[in-house]
Amino acid sequence: MLRDPILTSRVEDGRNVPLLVWRADGPLRAVSSGPLGGGVGVRRWVLNATVPMSYDREDPAAHLAALAADLALDGPGVGLLTGVDVTEVVARTDTGVRAWATVGLGTPVPAAAPAAGALTQRVGTVNIVVYVPARLADSALVNAVATATEAKTQAIGELLELPGTGTPTDAVTVLCPVDGPEAAYGGPRSTWGAPLARAVHAAVRAGGERPVVPWSDRLTG
C-alpha cells in the first residue's frame, strides 16, 4: 500500500524548499519516467521535490538521491523534480485507484511539433503519481503509463486553447502491489486502466484550473 504523501521541506541556499514524500508499507512494483528510479522495478518510496525555475543541475538523479538520504528513505525509490510548489498537489480517487498530480502548464507543447521552440521561464511540469491496488504485469504497467498520459492530455486539451499535449518535462509514476493475481491490461477500457484514466484526468484538470505561480517567483513577488 502506498501511503498518503507527507509534506516536508529541506533548506537550500538559506531557503526552505518544499517536497512531498510517499512511503510504501512494503515493496511495490513500479514504472516511472522520473530522473531517479526510472524504468520498471521494485520501489519503496516516491519523492516529488520543488526546485527554483533557475535549476540547472546536470545531475538531477544524484541530487534526488541526496535528498532521499537526508530524509532517511531506505531502499530503491523514485525521484521527481518540478518548478511547481508541491504544496498544491491534487489528489483524486476512483474505484480504489489513487492519483496525485502537481500541475504546471506554463510551457505546453504538441508532442509532434515540427521544431522545438524556445522554452520560457514559466513553470511547466506535470508530475503524476498513481497507485493501483492490484498487481499489474510489466506490459500492463507500461500500458498504464500510456493511459495516464492520454488522460493528462485530455485534461490539458479541455483546459487550454493551445494545441499542447503536455510539457517537455512531464513525468509519470505508476505503482502497484508485488503480490496477488496479475492483471494483464492497463489500457483505458481495462479493469484498472479505466479508473486510472478517470482519476488522473480529474487530478490534472483540477490542478490546471487554477493559476500556478512558480515557487521561486513567490519569493520575489
Side-chain angles (χ1 to χ4, degrees):
M1 180 71 177
L2 189 67
R3 305 179 199 171
D4 288 331
I6 296 173
L7 178 65
T8 184
S9 65
R10 81 274 187 186
V11 177
E12 289 187 4
D13 298 325
R15 300 176 294 183
N16 289 319
V17 189
L19 48 82
L20 284 174
V21 181
W22 290 259
R23 288 181 170 88
D25 292 330
L28 296 174
R29 286 170 49 76
V31 60
S32 178
S33 61
L36 175 67
V40 177
V42 174
R43 306 288 183 262
R44 292 179 174 271
W45 48 265
V46 179
L47 176 64
N48 191 13
T50 293
V51 293
M53 293 302 293
S54 59
Y55 188 85
D56 61 356
R57 289 186 58 155
E58 297 183 356
D59 60 343
H63 183 201
L64 285 161
L67 295 179
D70 289 343
L71 292 166
L73 295 175
D74 295 327
V78 173
L80 312 171
L81 296 169
T82 178
V84 175
D85 185 340
V86 296
T87 63
E88 296 187 350
V89 64
V90 176
R92 292 293 186 270
T93 302
D94 192 300
T95 320
V97 175
R98 305 164 73 201
W100 297 267
T102 51
V103 183
L105 297 176
T107 54
V109 296
L119 297 182
T120 69
Q121 283 299 303
R122 298 175 61 197
V123 60
T125 296
V126 181
N127 282 343
I128 296 168
V129 176
V130 180
Y131 176 74
V132 177
R135 183 185 178 194
L136 301 178
D138 283 356
S139 57
L141 277 172
V142 174
N143 205 172
V145 171
T147 298
T149 302
E150 290 174 16
K152 174 199 70 176
T153 299
Q154 179 184 340
I156 291 172
E158 294 167 357
L159 288 164
L160 302 176
E161 296 180 358
L162 300 172
T165 57
T167 87
T169 53
D170 291 353
V172 179
T173 300
V174 179
L175 305 104
C176 69
V178 297
D179 299 317
E182 188 174 80
Y185 305 108
R189 293 297 177 265
S190 66
T191 299
W192 294 110
L196 181 154
R198 293 191 295 266
V200 169
H201 173 267
V204 175
R205 179 69 187 258
E209 283 177 340
R210 58 194 183 194
V212 177
V213 178
W215 171 82
S216 49
D217 286 3
R218 294 179 179 182
L219 303 180
T220 58

